[in-house]
Amino acid sequence: MKLNYTAYMPVLFVYVILIVCSFICSAIIFFIAQTTTRMEATARSKMLRRLLFLFTSTLWTFFTCLPYRALYLINALGVFQGYTSEPWYFTYHRVTTFFFSVLSFGICVNPVITIMTQHIYRNRVVAIWKRMLNRSGKNDFEQISDRRKSTQAFLESIPLSARN
């Protein structure tokens, strides 16, 4: 059974356009934020770290996912129809296969990059890793949830007659 490219084409177009637009927008936001001086130093540093993560994540997606999808889109458009026996088509096929490997690698490495660059994810992974190795005396809930306990009562725990 052969894939009907006409049904898949809008998805390919939207995918390629969204990745390119996302990369352009994140680059613009990052460079505007870099030149801004209206914030305190600590708030600016925190914002730049978050935006740097956003920019690098988008850049990673741009370079790992987009080439394969673009090459697949070119093939789906029928650019090579009738030229499949040409020697350069085999090169195109090998390049497409290489970028499929890059796509697979990128999808696998993306969570690792997130864990390494974002402390909240890193802390959770370390807590889970410690729990798996049984190196901590904390119970499961304390180990995973290191957040400060709330001093306000939850709305669900207040009787209906006592609500304002």
Side-chain angles (χ1 to χ4, degrees), residues 132-149:
M132 287 173 44
L133 296 176
N134 287 328
R135 291 192 178 180
S136 176
K138 292 181 179 180
N139 65 27
D140 290 347
F141 179 73
E142 289 174 343
Q143 196 170 20
I144 299 298
S145 179
D146 292 331
R147 292 176 22 180
R148 191 170 36 122
K149 303 293 186 256

Side-chain angles (χ1 to χ4, degrees), residues 62-74:
F62 185 80
F63 283 116
T64 57
C65 296
L66 187 63
Y68 175 74
R69 296 296 183 197
L71 290 169
Y72 193 84
L73 180 62
I74 289 169

Side-chain angles (χ1 to χ4, degrees), residues 48-58 113-114 117-118:
L48 284 177
R49 277 196 313 254
R50 288 179 179 162
L51 289 175
L52 180 63
F53 169 71
L54 174 71
F55 177 68
T56 55
S57 177
T58 308
I113 292 172
T114 301
T117 58
Q118 299 296 306

Side-chain angles (χ1 to χ4, degrees), residues 51-98:
L51 289 175
L52 180 63
F53 169 71
L54 174 71
F55 177 68
T56 55
S57 177
T58 308
L59 186 68
W60 181 261
T61 303
F62 185 80
F63 283 116
T64 57
C65 296
L66 187 63
Y68 175 74
R69 296 296 183 197
L71 290 169
Y72 193 84
L73 180 62
I74 289 169
N75 190 40
L77 288 171
V79 172
F80 298 115
Q81 204 163 9
Y83 296 106
T84 55
S85 62
E86 297 292 328
W88 53 265
Y89 179 76
F90 295 114
T91 304
Y92 165 81
H93 183 63
R94 286 188 180 147
V95 169
T96 304
T97 304
F98 169 75

Side-chain angles (χ1 to χ4, degrees), residues 147-158:
R147 292 176 22 180
R148 191 170 36 122
K149 303 293 186 256
S150 176
T151 56
Q152 295 179 342
F154 290 107
L155 193 59
E156 291 85 17
S157 64
I158 300 172

